[in-house]
Amino acid sequence: MHLDGLTIAALAAELHRSIVGSRIQKIYHPRPSVVTLELWAGQEQLLLIETEEDPRIHLTQQRFVNPPQPSAFCMLLRKYLRNGVISGVGQPGLERILDLYIREEYILRTELLGKQTNIVLVRNGTILGAIKSTVGQRSFRPGEVYQAPPAQEKLDPRTMTQEEFFARLSVLSAPFP
């Protein structure tokens, strides 16, 4: 299932309620496309982030077999995020992006863009690392300034007035010449 901006907005709201204030205990990278964060806030939770063609991010009970040697990306995440507290979950606009804010300093950004999905660790606008170093024409090398994917400038039906909505709808449904 492809995720759209409204679905991700609902996901961000649900994760915000569920994991804000949680401490990141452990970080795993069991498969090239999967990262899991073991969280603790009075009870253990496991957050799964998958970057396959049909990406997903959600809480799960499923445990994975981890490789004997952690990947470089996993070690990077452990270095910066281990024992960090999730201070927020957000989404810029209605973009297909989900941000985890850790320690008010780091952003673990998941771009849920189908085949172009990536997980990027950012601090102060600079890339610390990414699960994929290049995606399409975009580069995600450490030390580079993070560039978000081009904004889609989507209308946000959550903030539109009824008049704006119907005016936009009438423009879209006008017959073609």
Side-chain angles (χ1 to χ4, degrees):
M1 174 180 104
H2 292 290
L3 297 171
D4 60 56
L6 285 173
T7 303
I8 293 170
L11 175 62
E14 184 172 326
L15 286 176
H16 185 84
R17 285 189 301 273
S18 302
I19 66 174
V20 167
S22 297
R23 180 173 306 283
I24 300 172
Q25 294 188 130
K26 296 180 182 175
I27 301 168
Y28 300 108
H29 192 186
R31 296 194 315 247
S33 64
V34 174
V35 170
T36 59
L37 305 177
E38 187 178 292
L39 309 174
W40 180 262
Q43 67 178 9
E44 187 177 280
Q45 298 184 79
L46 192 63
L47 182 68
L48 170 89
I49 306 171
E50 185 167 356
T51 62
E52 286 293 319
E53 187 173 327
D54 286 326
R56 59 189 174 138
I57 181 169
H58 58 84
L59 294 171
T60 184
Q61 298 291 323
Q62 184 179 0
R63 297 287 178 172
F64 295 88
V65 175
N66 294 297
Q69 192 73 325
S71 70
F73 184 63
C74 182
M75 295 301 289
L76 176 89
L77 293 178
R78 288 176 180 176
K79 176 181 177 181
Y80 291 108
L81 304 183
R82 192 168 187 193
N83 291 319
V85 174
I86 297 175
S87 58
V89 178
Q91 174 193 27
L94 275 183
E95 301 300 329
R96 293 179 296 159
I97 295 172
L98 188 87
D99 292 335
L100 298 179
Y101 300 96
I102 298 108
R103 292 191 189 132
E104 308 287 334
E105 182 178 3
Y106 300 100
I107 298 173
L108 186 61
R109 175 164 276 191
T110 305
E111 297 178 348
L112 298 155
L113 306 172
K115 292 180 183 180
Q116 307 283 317
T117 295
N118 203 0
I119 304 169
V120 186
L121 181 61
V122 178
R123 180 176 58 195
N124 299 325
T126 302
I127 296 170
L128 298 175
I131 200 166
K132 300 174 188 174
S133 60
T134 58
V135 175
Q137 301 296 317
R138 299 172 61 220
S139 174
F140 297 94
R141 305 225 187 276
E144 292 180 346
V145 174
Y146 173 78
Q147 298 292 325
Q152 300 295 308
E153 305 297 332
K154 298 175 184 171
L155 295 174
D156 188 344
R158 301 170 301 171
T159 60
M160 294 175 75
T161 65
Q162 186 176 9
E163 292 78 23
E164 289 173 321
F165 178 78
F166 284 116
R168 180 69 175 177
L169 189 60
S170 66
V171 168
L172 292 176
S173 62
F176 290 100

